[in-house]
Amino acid sequence: MPINYYIFLSVALFAIGVVGVLTRRNAIIVFMCIELMLNAVNLLLVAFSKMHHLKAAALNTATNAGSDGQLFVFFIMVVAAAEVSVGLAIIVMMYRNIHSVDINFLNRLKH
Amino acid sequence: MIAVLLIVIPLVTGIAAFFIQNEKTVRAWSLFASLAVLAASLFGLFLSGNNQWLEYNHEWLQVMGSSFALKLDAMGQILCLLNALAYVLIFIATWNRSYEKANRFFGLMLLTQAGMMGVFLAMDAMLFYFFWELALIPIYFICSRWGGERRIAATFKFFIYTFVGSLLMLIGIIYLQSKTPDHSFSISSFYHLNQTLSGKEQSFLFWLFFIAFAVKMPIFPFHTWQPETYQQSTPAGTMVLSAIMVKMGVLGVIRWLMPVLSIGAETWSYTVIPLALIGIIYASLIAYRSDDIKKLIAYSSIAHIGLMFVAVFAVNQIAMQGVIIQMFNHGINVLGLWIVVELIERKTGISKISELGGLAQKAPSMTIFFVIIALASVALPLTNGFVGEFLMLTGIMRIHSQYYLWFTAFAGAGIILGAIYTLRMITKIFYGEVKEAVTNITDIRWNEKLVLGVIVVLIFWWGIYPQSILNFTSEFSKEIVDKINILQFLPSKTGL
Amino acid sequence: MQNALHIAYLIPLLPLIGFLITGLGRNYLSKSTTGIIGSATVLASFALSVWVFMQVKGGNTFTADYFNFISVGNVTIPFAFKIDQLSSLFLLVVTGVSFIIHVYSTAYMHEENQAQFGRYFSFLNLFVFFMLILVLGANYIIMFIGWEGVGLCSYLLIGYWFKNKQYNKAADKAFIMNRIGDFAFLIALFWLISKINTVGYDETFAAAAAGKLSATDITVITLLLFIGATGKSAQIPLYTWLPDAMAGPTPVSALIHAATMVTAGIYMIARSNVLYSLSEISMNVVAITGLVTAILAATIALKQNDIKKVLAYSTVSQLGYMFLALGVGAYSAGVFHVMTHAFFKALLFLAAGSVIHAMSGEQDIRKMGGLSKKIKITYITFLIGTLAISGIPPLSGFFSKDEILLATFIKSPILYGVALFGALLTAFYMFRLLFITFFGSFRGTEEQQHHIHESPAAMTFPLIALAILSVVGGLVGIPEAISEGGNKIGAFLSPVITSEHPHHVASSTEFTLMTISTVLVIGAILLAWFMFKNYKAKEAVGLGKVLENKWYVDELYNTVFVKPTKALGVFLKNVVEKSGIDGVVNGVGRLVQYGGRQMRLLQGGQVGSYILLMVLSMVIIFVIQFFLRK
């Protein structure tokens, strides 16, 4: 399968994430959109990694080229998990305090 | 060892002062500390020539190529003595002034002294910079915590000015260090740079250092922080600033600028000498029309320092001797003037010349002291001011430039203008009928008499027999001039 | 063995000790003690000076080197005194006249309270100290110490009554005008040092003689020194301070502003005669400045109504004559006139002081008149002084003035004519003063008239002493035409004044000149008698008004120098400093603040907007990265 399909899918996912972050006001949805962007990137990494490995294996059988892309994905997933737990905790606290998860109520940071 | 003591005593006593809660105790403590510093400094004078006592070298930040190198050379001796003596006099003269949070005030004062001592003694560029900043920060707090109504704005300006200057200097120092063959900050390595750095580099680096020192002195047009700061900060702070701290700039030029970047200095001499000369006339004329005594003295100080700066650029032994002796003279003279001004302001709450008058009838002793000190500052013969200004102007007359006559004439015009504004001040404040605002003033007390007496004795001692100090500094001044002169400073520029 | 003259340092030291005692003890010593100490120290100096004079007369001249004042590199300035014919003569005049005036002051200043009295005497002693330093110094720097020092004392004493604003202004003016002259003096010294590394008299003159100084150098140095002299000796253009200096007590005017300090310029030029004689230009400048000043001041004196102001302008005018003498190369005549002038002008001032004393402080001659009968001693001594200054033989002024006129005649008959005219003016205005003050009817108030009395003995004795000196003082300089070898003073000074060439004119010419001047002077006196024997005060008009206002020179200086300086100061302070330099500095600060304020608006706190910006920036970066980079 040509790499282009992966790229199109990934860009589409990323764009959806970006638009979601920019337009939605609900913090949880914004959060999900961020995850979406991360996963778009993950997808791309995995795809490239796979392609790279295939190409390298064709020339040399004993290679592990492209495996660093996979590793990155794992890292990102770990970090994303941590981020989700912290982020959700913040959102919960926010809801407790202001009874809303609307991010536009959060502009008090500027003071 | 003495060099270390001079820094450590005020540093340690200063830190200790923060923990003394009782105002009276802390006052006595700091007076005691300053006396100890004075004793150390006098002991240093006594040991002069005995290098193992006057030098100190210790490893410090070796990775960076910096070492803790201190040395009391002749200029250092004179300035440390000034620093030590001025502190004693300031503490005695302002004995009766009470301060809010006195422990912090005296602690900061002593820390400033430690910083200035370090500047006068450091023989390592990094160390020099370190102490330069160490002196700046506590004096900033002194001026902004205790003082007049607009002190915050004034000291903020002071701080920004000086700090910008310091940072430029830091860049210059680091650049120079990278150019030394052994990557060292020591002054001897810096002195060798003079021949290896290209003219372009030098002329660029010159400004990095010049601005730092010009702000501190100050040289026109980097001076506008000074009158306001002097006017707004607490008298003790003003005294420290004008009597001692401005000498840091002059010392910087003599020790760190001219011998290190003499090509750069020569390249720009036709720019900076006129600046200083303009400053002399400019500041004198403003002083002539100032209605505030503090501003008047501040501007007169700019004029005096401008003359010293031009004399440094004359690069000959006579002028250099004049500058060194005048640094001390200006310090004690201006200190004496500030002490009287502080007294007047403390007793009447006025510092406007137009509102004062007739003090001579109410406070004759104060008048006599003030007149003597003021006349010394306008360089009347047989006072210390004359010796310094005479030597400096003689040296300026020998400047290797076809414009030497103009330089002398402009620099000397300050003598006439100085007489004009000083006499105007004396006449308006002390003579004439007693004005209503000063009817309650009393004459000076014993402690003030003691301080002013010491100053007057020094004025006459060094005015009548200046040779005692001239002998002391002659070797140093010759050496430094030779260092600057390595490449024939200012050869006759007939092409210009 | 050390030269006996080594102890010459005592001569200035004694008055200094007097200064310290009277000054520090002003609150403790009674007035009579102060007076005695003040006078006694000067008397002791006088006695020493007489002794020194005798030594010098016996051929013992000496340069006493005490210690190194300043020694830097190849420049060494010793603190040294030079005792020779010129300085010993000045020592005598200075200490002698000073002593007389000290005695006079004990009575004149009697109404002052104890502390002020002490202050007065301490200043007076300090002045004597500096004047002696000036005279004794063996190099220009030591001279300069005295030079500025006497200026300081003059300042302190003019402003002695410091409650009066006008007096303070006069004091400031004196100091500042002197400072301008001193500045030129200093530049001359710098010049000397930069050329020959020394300021010693002997060394300088030797260097000049050896041709180490170029002609330009000598001309510039002598001219600069002369500017210094115009300040100190009140010549054009720096003379206006002297008339104002009359604000000081009258004995001060007599001592400082007539007899001693103002002659410092003449002393200096006589001392530097070797240098001056090498520059034709400088000589001419000195002569012409002196002559113009002499005439200008004499014309102003014609219309002054303050007794001291007339004398002040007369002093300026007489000093002009002395400079004329120096300028035509008759140095010893100039010095001779300094001496006789010291006698008769001090006498005139002290007598004027006695008049003012009698008139309870009144100085306006329009309110005097007919005083000759009431204060006889004052009148007679004043008359003697007036005759002496007018040049009536055989009083002292005749001989010295005659010698100046003769030297001028030899140089140029035109200058002689002008100088003679000035001499006539002198006789005229002095007798105008005499007649208005002492003749006619009294024009003051009843109370003043009632109060008129002769002064106490402490004041009249000095008058008598000075009157005697004014009469006989000229006998040391009798012209050669009258008596062979009569010009003792010229002969005495000849070792110092080496550049003066003996002039030879036929005795008949000399006699003719003397007769002409004497006859014309008597004519001027008679004219004054007819015009002023019954004086009535009236408003001056036309030229008279211009003269009364001193040719409006003060106003001119005020408009040309003082006001522009003030305006420039205000301009710099308010415009350049505030709006210019500080404007730029604060402008930088304001720019940063403004920038900060504008940037702050971007930080709206809306998370969405942050992210939007972030995305937009990223898009822009991508666009740049992919499409615009080549």
Side-chain angles (χ1 to χ4, degrees):
Chain A
M1 208 156 48
I3 189 78
N4 296 11
Y5 298 147
Y6 293 101
I7 294 178
F8 289 142
L9 176 61
S10 169
V11 167
L13 279 175
F14 193 84
I16 292 167
V18 168
V19 172
V21 167
L22 288 181
T23 53
R24 304 308 293 260
R25 285 162 48 191
N26 187 319
I28 295 177
I29 294 181
V30 169
F31 215 74
M32 282 156 61
C33 290
I34 293 172
E35 291 301 312
L36 204 54
M37 284 192 278
L38 285 173
N39 284 325
V41 175
N42 280 351
L43 176 63
L44 208 55
L45 279 170
V46 173
F48 274 117
S49 164
K50 176 80 179 155
M51 290 293 162
H52 190 189
H53 185 76
L54 284 178
K55 186 87 179 167
L59 299 169
N60 178 11
T61 43
T63 180
N64 55 357
S67 54
D68 37 5
Q70 316 261 351
L71 275 174
F72 268 127
V73 172
F74 279 113
F75 267 114
I76 292 173
M77 281 160 71
V78 171
V79 170
E83 184 200 324
V84 165
S85 56
V86 174
L88 280 178
I90 292 174
I91 291 171
V92 170
M93 282 308 293
M94 180 179 141
Y95 185 77
R96 278 199 195 149
N97 281 324
I98 58 174
H99 299 288
S100 158
V101 289
D102 189 338
I103 52 170
N104 284 355
F105 282 122
L106 273 181
N107 62 4
R108 274 178 297 173
L109 276 177
K110 72 177 174 182
H111 293 300
Chain B
M1 276 322 286
I2 293 293
V4 180
L5 274 186
L6 283 174
I7 297 171
V8 167
I9 297 174
L11 193 67
V12 171
T13 52
I15 292 168
F18 280 98
F19 300 100
I20 303 175
Q21 293 303 323
N22 185 323
E23 187 178 349
K24 270 196 177 147
T25 326
V26 74
R27 203 182 282 159
W29 169 253
S30 11
L31 178 62
F32 166 74
S34 65
L35 281 169
V37 177
L38 180 61
S41 157
L42 288 173
F43 195 55
L45 271 182
F46 177 71
L47 288 172
S48 59
N50 197 342
N51 274 342
Q52 69 197 45
W53 281 90
L54 304 180
E55 281 189 36
Y56 182 79
N57 260 305
H58 199 271
E59 289 171 7
W60 183 66
L61 299 181
Q62 258 184 319
V63 194
M64 289 165 60
S66 173
S67 67
F68 199 86
L70 304 173
K71 188 183 169 193
L72 256 178
D73 57 9
M75 178 163 63
Q77 294 265 28
I78 300 279
L79 287 173
C80 288
L81 180 66
L82 171 69
N83 191 355
L85 181 69
Y87 260 78
V88 175
L89 297 181
I90 291 170
F91 283 147
I92 299 178
T94 56
W95 188 257
N96 299 320
R97 206 180 179 91
S98 82
Y99 295 97
E100 199 183 325
K101 303 226 169 82
N103 56 336
R104 292 185 196 174
F105 176 79
F106 285 103
L108 288 169
M109 284 288 278
L110 288 167
L111 287 184
T112 314
Q113 188 182 29
M116 291 188 294
M117 283 291 182
V119 170
F120 297 152
L121 294 167
M123 290 292 152
D124 180 283
M126 204 62 224
L127 198 60
F128 175 74
Y129 179 77
F130 172 77
F131 282 120
W132 183 276
E133 294 294 334
L134 184 66
L136 170 67
I137 291 161
I139 195 73
Y140 166 73
F141 284 111
I142 289 174
C143 295
S144 62
R145 262 313 258 107
W146 296 268
E149 281 169 18
R150 283 181 289 116
R151 61 175 189 271
I152 303 285
T155 35
F156 186 65
K157 201 164 160 185
F158 160 63
F159 186 82
I160 294 290
Y161 253 110
T162 345
F163 199 68
V164 168
S166 317
L167 288 179
L168 292 177
M169 180 168 76
L170 182 63
I171 296 170
I173 288 176
I174 292 169
Y175 185 88
L176 283 178
Q177 188 255 9
S178 71
K179 288 286 168 181
T180 52
D182 52 348
H183 291 285
S184 137
F185 283 105
S186 87
I187 196 161
S188 49
S189 323
F190 270 41
Y191 283 169
H192 286 302
L193 286 174
N194 200 357
Q195 285 122 307
T196 53
L197 283 179
S198 73
K200 231 179 189 175
E201 281 173 307
Q202 291 214 11
S203 68
F204 168 69
L205 283 166
F206 173 81
W207 284 99
L208 297 180
F209 284 85
F210 172 74
I211 290 178
F213 299 141
V215 164
K216 207 79 179 185
M217 285 197 268
I219 295 293
F220 173 89
F222 305 99
H223 65 277
T224 53
W225 62 270
Q226 199 206 32
E228 243 170 278
T229 310
Y230 282 12
Q231 187 192 24
Q232 290 300 324
S233 57
T234 182
T238 309
M239 291 173 199
V240 169
L241 276 173
S242 68
I244 319 169
M245 203 167 261
V246 295
K247 310 302 181 301
M248 284 168 44
V250 186
L251 173 129
V253 173
I254 295 176
R255 185 178 285 161
W256 292 99
L257 177 57
M258 301 289 286
V260 178
L261 301 169
S262 61
I263 302 174
E266 195 203 328
T267 315
W268 292 108
S269 58
Y270 283 96
T271 309
V272 292
I273 293 176
L275 276 186
L277 291 173
I278 292 171
I280 294 174
I281 307 285
Y282 177 86
S284 302
L285 283 172
I286 293 183
Y288 176 45
R289 296 319 297 166
S290 292
D291 191 36
D292 189 292
I293 319 174
K294 296 175 160 187
K295 284 203 165 177
L296 195 154
I297 298 178
Y299 280 109
S300 85
S301 187
I302 295 173
H304 284 127
I305 299 284
L307 180 60
M308 288 184 214
F309 182 78
V310 179
V312 173
F313 270 76
V315 191
N316 54 51
Q317 203 196 348
I318 299 181
M320 194 57 78
Q321 287 274 53
V323 174
I324 294 173
I325 186 171
Q326 188 68 2
M327 277 200 267
F328 188 92
N329 294 340
H330 175 261
I332 57 168
N333 292 351
V334 85
L335 179 62
L337 295 180
W338 283 122
I339 287 173
V340 177
V341 170
E342 191 263 346
L343 274 174
I344 295 174
E345 206 197 3
R346 177 149 41 102
K347 287 178 174 172
T348 63
I350 296 175
S351 66
K352 287 247 180 290
I353 292 174
S354 53
E355 291 170 22
L356 292 164
L359 282 180
Q361 291 164 63
K362 290 280 168 186
S365 303
M366 185 206 274
T367 310
I368 292 168
F369 280 121
F370 190 82
V371 169
I372 293 175
I373 296 167
L375 289 173
S377 81
V378 299
L380 209 77
L382 294 190
T383 62
N384 56 3
F386 173 72
V387 179
E389 296 214 345
F390 174 77
L391 288 173
M392 288 194 287
L393 287 168
T394 311
I396 292 170
M397 188 82 178
R398 293 183 166 199
I399 216 164
H400 285 291
S401 156
Q402 55 175 344
Y403 304 112
Y404 69 101
L405 252 188
W406 291 107
F407 292 163
T408 320
F410 273 95
I415 290 185
I416 299 175
L417 292 169
I420 294 175
Y421 62 70
T422 310
L423 289 190
R424 174 173 162 270
M425 169 173 70
I426 294 176
T427 308
K428 294 224 165 153
I429 298 176
F430 291 101
Y431 299 156
E433 292 291 344
V434 180
K435 290 245 174 93
E436 202 173 319
V438 301
T439 40
N440 293 325
I441 197 167
T442 48
D443 209 348
I444 53 181
R445 272 185 284 192
W446 68 269
N447 59 332
E448 291 132 10
K449 258 188 197 165
L450 175 76
V451 170
L452 295 172
V454 168
I455 290 173
V456 166
V457 166
L458 282 173
I459 283 175
F460 285 122
W461 177 12
W462 286 6
I464 294 170
Y465 191 61
Q467 200 56 39
S468 50
I469 190 170
L470 290 176
N471 282 338
F472 183 72
T473 56
S474 81
E475 205 172 312
F476 170 81
S477 57
K478 191 164 164 28
E479 269 171 32
I480 203 96
V481 166
D482 287 344
K483 272 189 197 119
I484 302 171
N485 240 342
I486 264 173
L487 299 162
Q488 274 293 308
F489 195 79
L490 273 188
S492 58
K493 299 212 165 177
T494 32
L496 275 169
Chain C
M1 209 199 94
Q2 215 172 22
N3 194 310
L5 287 175
H6 194 77
I7 62 157
Y9 66 86
L10 279 179
I11 299 179
L13 193 63
L14 284 166
L16 183 67
I17 292 169
F19 155 71
L20 291 175
I21 297 175
T22 50
L24 295 175
R26 67 190 188 287
N27 291 324
Y28 315 105
L29 298 175
S30 72
K31 280 199 259 185
S32 52
T33 326
T34 304
I36 288 168
I37 292 172
S39 313
T41 47
V42 179
L43 181 64
S45 284
F46 176 63
L48 266 172
S49 305
V50 172
W51 174 77
V52 166
F53 183 77
M54 290 303 168
Q55 289 275 321
V56 172
K57 207 155 178 257
N60 180 10
T61 59
F62 180 56
T63 303
D65 200 336
Y66 297 108
F67 58 89
N68 262 356
F69 179 52
I70 291 175
S71 171
V72 179
N74 52 4
V75 179
T76 298
I77 298 159
F79 198 98
F81 286 162
K82 188 173 177 64
I83 298 132
D84 62 359
Q85 286 79 5
L86 187 61
S87 54
S88 65
L89 185 70
F90 265 84
L91 282 185
L92 271 190
V93 175
V94 170
T95 51
V97 175
S98 299
F99 171 64
I100 292 174
I101 289 169
H102 271 75
V103 173
Y104 181 91
S105 298
T106 55
Y108 190 84
M109 302 301 286
H110 212 75
E111 281 163 28
E112 297 291 310
N113 68 30
Q114 188 185 333
Q116 300 304 322
F117 194 78
R119 188 163 68 93
Y120 173 84
F121 267 89
S122 66
F123 288 167
L124 217 54
N125 273 359
L126 186 66
F127 167 76
V128 178
F129 163 73
F130 277 122
M131 191 69 206
L132 292 171
I133 294 273
L134 191 162
V135 169
L136 279 169
N139 58 54
Y140 285 107
I141 294 294
I142 306 298
M143 180 192 264
F144 187 75
I145 291 176
W147 189 271
E148 282 251 289
V150 290
L152 166 71
C153 297
S154 157
Y155 161 75
L156 292 172
L157 283 164
I158 295 169
Y160 172 73
W161 284 302
F162 56 75
K163 286 184 206 168
N164 187 319
K165 269 199 176 151
Q166 240 23 60
Y167 292 3
N168 290 328
K169 272 197 179 148
D172 286 1
K173 186 173 171 185
F175 193 85
I176 288 161
M177 289 199 119
N178 270 303
R179 256 282 152 126
I180 295 170
D182 294 352
F183 175 54
F185 194 114
L186 263 184
I187 299 245
L189 299 192
F190 298 145
W191 199 298
L192 261 183
I193 294 176
S194 70
K195 295 289 173 194
I196 56 174
N197 287 328
T198 178
V199 285
Y201 299 143
D202 297 338
E203 295 88 340
T204 307
F205 303 151
K212 281 185 197 158
L213 289 168
S214 72
T216 327
D217 287 338
I218 293 180
T219 305
V220 174
I221 289 168
T222 47
L223 282 178
L224 285 169
L225 286 176
F226 176 64
I227 295 175
T230 58
K232 192 90 349 184
S233 297
Q235 297 295 296
I236 291 173
L238 300 175
Y239 73 95
T240 55
W241 66 269
L242 185 61
D244 289 7
M246 295 303 126
T250 309
V252 170
S253 312
L255 177 61
I256 301 183
H257 305 121
T260 52
M261 181 186 92
V262 288
T263 61
I266 290 104
Y267 170 77
M268 188 271 293
I269 292 180
R271 180 55 88 187
S272 328
N273 65 79
V274 178
L275 287 183
Y276 276 87
S277 297
L278 288 172
S279 169
E280 190 68 22
I281 302 172
S282 303
M283 291 292 271
N284 290 337
V285 170
V286 172
I288 288 167
T289 311
L291 187 58
V292 174
T293 312
I295 301 294
L296 184 89
T299 54
I300 296 173
L302 290 175
K303 287 304 254 183
Q304 294 304 304
N305 293 320
D306 182 318
I307 186 166
K308 286 178 75 180
K309 285 261 160 88
V310 178
L311 293 176
Y313 279 106
S314 151
T315 306
V316 175
S317 164
Q318 295 298 311
L319 290 166
Y321 275 106
M322 297 173 207
F323 278 105
L324 174 65
L326 301 171
V328 298
Y331 298 102
S332 58
V335 174
F336 184 27
H337 200 57
V338 166
M339 191 183 87
T340 56
H341 178 257
F343 296 147
F344 60 67
K345 190 49 69 61
L347 168 63
L348 286 168
F349 265 112
L350 294 189
S354 179
V355 170
I356 295 165
H357 193 73
M359 292 288 297
S360 328
E362 182 59 64
Q363 300 194 4
D364 193 337
I365 52 173
R366 284 172 297 194
K367 299 193 179 123
M368 298 178 185
L371 296 178
S372 62
K373 292 173 205 87
K374 289 172 184 136
I375 44 176
K376 270 240 163 62
I377 303 175
T378 307
Y379 164 62
I380 292 168
T381 48
F382 197 93
L383 178 64
I384 292 172
T386 312
L387 287 171
I389 194 176
S390 309
I392 300 292
L395 280 79
S396 57
F398 168 73
F399 294 108
S400 53
K401 190 176 278 183
D402 176 67
E403 209 171 320
I404 293 173
L405 290 176
L406 177 66
T408 316
F409 181 76
I410 296 166
K411 180 92 175 174
S412 142
I414 299 170
L415 289 186
Y416 169 77
V418 181
L420 183 63
F421 173 65
L424 301 183
L425 287 179
T426 309
F428 182 76
Y429 69 70
M430 281 311 298
F431 273 92
R432 165 182 175 268
L433 177 65
L434 182 86
F435 293 141
I436 293 179
T437 312
F438 291 99
F439 289 78
S441 53
F442 189 75
R443 294 176 295 272
T445 60
E446 280 288 308
E447 200 183 336
Q448 282 171 329
Q449 189 166 22
H450 182 69
H451 192 255
I452 295 173
H453 61 281
E454 185 56 275
S455 305
M459 284 166 74
T460 50
F461 275 125
L463 289 180
I464 294 165
L466 283 169
I468 294 168
L469 284 172
S470 303
V471 174
V472 302
L475 298 181
V476 297
I478 300 167
E480 299 286 320
I482 297 176
S483 128
E484 191 71 32
N487 192 352
K488 293 201 191 82
I489 189 160
F492 177 69
L493 289 174
S494 59
V496 181
I497 295 169
T498 50
S499 56
E500 186 171 330
H501 306 295
H503 43 67
H504 294 291
V505 271
S507 325
S508 56
T509 324
E510 213 174 330
F511 273 117
T512 321
L513 292 179
M514 273 187 235
T515 322
I516 292 175
S517 67
T518 311
V519 170
L520 286 176
V521 162
I522 291 172
I525 294 171
L526 288 176
L527 185 64
W529 167 251
F530 287 119
M531 284 176 73
F532 299 111
K533 67 179 174 191
N534 282 315
Y535 175 76
K536 292 268 182 327
K538 52 181 183 286
E539 194 73 14
V541 285
L543 185 63
K545 196 166 168 65
V546 176
L547 292 181
E548 198 173 319
N549 285 302
K550 310 147 197 169
W551 295 101
Y552 295 102
V553 173
D554 272 327
E555 285 76 3
L556 181 75
Y557 282 1
N558 206 15
T559 327
V560 178
F561 298 111
V562 181
K563 278 190 188 154
T565 312
K566 280 189 181 171
L568 183 62
V570 172
F571 173 73
L572 291 179
K573 177 175 163 234
N574 292 341
V575 180
V576 178
E577 181 84 351
K578 280 220 180 91
S579 322
I581 298 174
D582 233 12
V584 171
V585 173
N586 291 338
V588 171
R590 259 198 294 273
L591 192 71
V592 171
Q593 276 187 345
Y594 174 79
R597 246 197 323 274
Q598 297 306 313
M599 300 294 268
R600 197 187 66 123
L601 297 181
L602 289 176
Q603 313 290 317
Q606 300 288 347
V607 181
S609 66
Y610 297 162
I611 298 169
L612 180 63
L613 273 179
M614 192 172 86
V615 170
L616 283 178
S617 331
M618 270 161 62
V619 168
I620 290 169
I621 290 170
F622 277 128
V623 168
I624 293 172
Q625 192 76 7
F626 285 112
F627 301 106
L628 298 183
R629 206 176 58 150
K630 274 279 165 298

